[in-house]
Amino acid sequence: MKRVELVIRIDRPKCVAFGGMGLWQRLESGQCPDVSMGSRVPFDLCSICTDWDTYGRAQESFDVSVHRDPGAAVLQVHRELKRRSGNGIRGLSITRADYCEHTRQHMNAVLPTGQKVFVYNDYPHFFDISFVFVGADKTAKVMMHLRGKGARRNEGRDDRSLREKAASLADEALRVGLAGAGRGTGGGRNLKRM
């Protein structure tokens, strides 16, 4: 399964200052609030009519010294094809105005062939994570809550000590997450399973 997992720090003083104590209390009580991630994608690909051979060749043109990511290489090939022949990579849309008939008129429909019309969003650039009341994806939730019991804010400790504590909690979160929370070596100290 393809997914993104994040380790997020929630500051209680900021929850108090900005009206987020409801979220804080939900996390403390063991609830799993919905989350939503914002991202930008360079283009959409139609699930029905994308020319996958041309798309694959465009991906292969990726050069780390020239392109930020393979998506930038695909866009460069698409624009060059469009400039030369008037048509870019079939099924690739940079904006909704570029959508093909499938994505413009039949989005989310199941065709008589059994194919579902949707768009692939390759190469997302994530820029936001938010707690939301009603999530768009039923699997986009808080998975577990790690907390440092008795942790107090900078009681004579220098910033390095605080960074080391934060790093050790992040390492613990990754260790538990990679082991599959609750399996293997999971369930480490200060872990509250959701």
Side-chain angles (χ1 to χ4, degrees), residues 148-155 157 162 165:
K149 291 188 178 189
R152 291 200 175 89
R153 194 158 179 83
N154 204 1
E155 289 184 347
R157 294 175 288 188
L162 292 173
K165 180 171 179 68

Side-chain angles (χ1 to χ4, degrees), residues 135-166:
D137 180 354
K138 65 182 177 183
T139 65
K141 295 190 174 290
V142 169
M143 294 171 58
M144 66 181 70
H145 175 201
L146 299 171
R147 65 175 169 212
K149 291 188 178 189
R152 291 200 175 89
R153 194 158 179 83
N154 204 1
E155 289 184 347
R157 294 175 288 188
D158 62 11
D159 286 342
R160 181 179 175 161
S161 172
L162 292 173
R163 282 193 305 272
E164 288 170 358
K165 180 171 179 68

Side-chain angles (χ1 to χ4, degrees), residues 20-170:
M21 284 309 293
L23 170 66
W24 184 269
Q25 290 163 352
R26 288 184 67 196
L27 290 168
E28 285 291 311
S29 71
Q31 294 180 34
C32 299
D34 291 346
V35 294
S36 178
M37 293 182 69
S39 71
R40 291 181 186 86
V41 293
F43 48 80
D44 294 334
L45 296 166
C46 176
S47 64
I48 305 301
C49 69
T50 295
D51 181 347
W52 294 107
D53 291 334
T54 304
Y55 179 68
R57 286 192 299 276
Q59 287 177 307
E60 290 170 3
S61 73
F62 172 64
D63 179 350
V64 71
S65 66
V66 176
H67 306 104
R68 180 183 67 217
D69 57 42
V74 170
L75 281 176
Q76 182 179 7
V77 169
H78 175 74
R79 288 179 174 135
E80 180 61 25
L81 286 172
K82 208 165 192 174
R83 187 186 65 74
R84 281 191 291 164
S85 68
N87 297 316
I89 299 170
R90 188 181 71 243
L92 186 148
S93 306
I94 297 173
T95 68
R96 288 182 186 226
D98 301 332
Y99 273 3
C100 62
E101 179 188 346
H102 302 110
T103 53
R104 188 174 43 251
Q105 309 235 342
H106 305 289
M107 188 69 82
N108 292 321
V110 178
L111 302 179
T113 61
Q115 296 173 287
K116 184 167 183 176
V117 179
F118 62 92
V119 294
Y120 290 98
N121 294 135
D122 289 348
Y123 311 110
H125 296 272
F126 295 100
F127 62 86
D128 178 57
I129 181 76
S130 302
F131 291 96
V132 294
F133 292 107
V134 179
D137 180 354
K138 65 182 177 183
T139 65
K141 295 190 174 290
V142 169
M143 294 171 58
M144 66 181 70
H145 175 201
L146 299 171
R147 65 175 169 212
K149 291 188 178 189
R152 291 200 175 89
R153 194 158 179 83
N154 204 1
E155 289 184 347
R157 294 175 288 188
D158 62 11
D159 286 342
R160 181 179 175 161
S161 172
L162 292 173
R163 282 193 305 272
E164 288 170 358
K165 180 171 179 68
S168 70
L169 281 173

